[in-house]
Amino acid sequence: MKTEELISASNEFIMNTYGRLPVILVRGDGVRVWDSDGREYIDFLAGIAVCSLGHSHARVVNAIKEQAEVLTHVSNIYHIEPQIRMARLLVENSFADKVFFCNSGAEANEAAIKLARKYAHERMKGNKYEIITMKNSFHGRTLTTVAATGQEKFHHGFEPLPKGFKYVPFDDIDALEGAISEKTCGIMLEPIQGEGGVRIPSTDYLARVRRLCDEKGILLLFDEVQTGMGRTGDLFAYEKSGIEPDIMTLAKALGNGFPLGAMLAKNEVASAFEPGSHASTFGGNLLAMAAGIAVMETMLQDGILENCREQGAYFVERLEGLKTKYPVIREIRGRGLMIGVELSCEGGGIVHEALKKGVLMNCTCGNVLRFVPPLVITGEDVDSVIDVLDEILERL
């Protein structure tokens, strides 16, 4: 079928839940992908912070292939060796003591919310079930994670949503403290807001939130679905703050494109879960674990984090050059290779123009260009994208 026929069939048979761009991507290698017409693109979106090692990374591909030839699935009622190996890698390289595996970020956040409530029910005095989250946050698409998300546009049409969530402005410690009540069991936030426009908090904000949780005897939950797995230049974004959460969620880059999510917790909190408390049929399946182990080992051994920091700094430097040239750029925000360019105009048109010129990126919040490329990009890749942006902005 031709591209136009495939797009027509997509519109006929697939539910309209995405505003899809008019291309069909069929092949990827490293930082580049090709569409069904053979056109090449440089990918600075990476499946929205998913393919952090690039497309079709040999180590990940081989791991999945080798596992598929041996065993693809058994129930979690049995012990699973690759799952044990993956859990150990996560525990030994984070604050956590225990891991729960699932298939996505939304599922990981759902598990985190359930664990926080279960822990509160069993270990905290009073009727504590409420979780405070941030305005402009994003935590997923299930009913509960939509309710946890502090953006009304995601709530519309799904009311009544599950109760038990309050929203306060991000990076406002006074508002956060004022929202804590006798019902509060935890605070849940993204160390850097992704869907909310790549918002980076004040230097001491996360540490102050940690102290507040300790003072009030409540839990701190970090949603690192987008910031985790090297995206900010550290394996996990919380490391930069010098503090640790009680619960953390991961997904996206954890499997480099293979569906994989995880919820991590310290022993005391994790102990609130027991057989029957929570489960996932496909969570921690053998293929996902093979991918995850390959991703973790590559992240830790191949200089990925160092390259992320180096290329992220270079990309921001080149973007600052564009900012001095084009007043339409209001602000550049970023850490590592999680970068947002806030504009004084709508950004959707720039995304479409970039697509025509062979660059993949996206726009969030209407006017923030978001760049979350593979962490293996080079300076030449950055220069190519800057050249395209320069050309588009000059025309604006």
Side-chain angles (χ1 to χ4, degrees), residues 322 326 328-329 343 350 369 388-396:
L322 291 182
Y326 302 110
V328 71
I329 298 178
L343 307 172
I350 294 176
L369 301 179
V388 168
L389 287 174
D390 194 359
E391 186 179 342
I392 295 170
L393 293 171
E394 187 174 34
R395 289 172 57 190
L396 280 178

Side-chain angles (χ1 to χ4, degrees), residues 296-339:
M296 282 289 293
E297 290 178 345
T298 304
M299 284 272 181
L300 295 170
Q301 298 168 7
D302 287 11
I304 303 299
L305 301 180
E306 292 83 356
N307 190 69
C308 175
R309 292 190 289 267
E310 180 181 333
Q311 298 304 328
Y314 179 61
F315 192 16
V316 168
E317 178 186 327
R318 293 298 316 273
L319 288 167
E320 289 288 354
L322 291 182
K323 183 174 181 289
T324 62
K325 192 175 178 181
Y326 302 110
V328 71
I329 298 178
R330 283 179 177 168
E331 185 179 16
I332 296 162
R333 301 184 290 268
R335 184 180 298 162
L337 283 168
M338 183 176 184
I339 297 168

Side-chain angles (χ1 to χ4, degrees), residues 69-218:
E69 291 173 345
V70 177
L71 187 64
T72 58
H73 178 77
V74 294
S75 171
N76 278 306
I77 65 174
Y78 307 104
H79 294 284
I80 300 171
E81 183 193 356
Q83 194 177 104
I84 298 164
R85 291 172 56 203
M86 180 64 179
R88 175 175 285 171
L89 279 169
L90 287 170
V91 166
E92 290 180 346
N93 289 282
S94 75
F95 73 93
D97 300 306
K98 292 289 193 298
V99 182
F100 171 83
F101 289 113
C102 51
N103 311 286
S104 68
E107 290 175 75
N109 285 333
E110 186 94 15
I113 292 165
K114 287 183 69 175
L115 179 60
R117 286 192 175 184
K118 186 75 158 45
Y119 178 83
H121 177 76
E122 295 183 356
R123 312 291 171 83
M124 294 181 183
K125 295 180 180 179
N127 183 27
K128 296 183 183 294
Y129 62 89
E130 198 169 72
I131 295 175
I132 301 171
T133 68
M134 306 298 126
K135 292 181 179 179
N136 294 317
S137 60
F138 183 82
H139 297 295
R141 299 283 189 170
T142 67
L143 271 179
T144 301
T145 54
V146 163
T149 294
Q151 298 190 59
E152 289 186 8
K153 66 181 180 180
F154 293 113
H155 301 172
H156 182 68
F158 301 110
E159 302 88 349
L161 294 173
K163 296 180 180 179
F165 297 96
K166 280 184 181 178
Y167 318 109
V168 299
F170 187 56
D171 201 21
D172 187 335
I173 196 71
D174 293 330
L176 181 57
E177 184 170 9
I180 296 174
S181 72
E182 70 281 354
K183 296 179 181 179
T184 305
C185 73
I187 295 168
M188 183 176 187
L189 56 81
E190 303 153 275
I192 297 173
Q193 289 191 334
E195 192 70 28
V198 191
R199 301 285 176 181
I200 302 174
S202 305
T203 304
D204 64 343
Y205 175 68
L206 296 181
R208 294 179 73 184
V209 176
R210 174 74 270 179
R211 287 197 296 271
L212 186 59
C213 288
D214 293 339
E215 291 168 5
K216 301 294 184 179
I218 59 178

Side-chain angles (χ1 to χ4, degrees), residues 280-300:
S280 172
T281 296
F282 296 109
N285 72 82
L286 289 144
L287 297 179
M289 294 299 94
I293 291 167
V295 169
M296 282 289 293
E297 290 178 345
T298 304
M299 284 272 181
L300 295 170

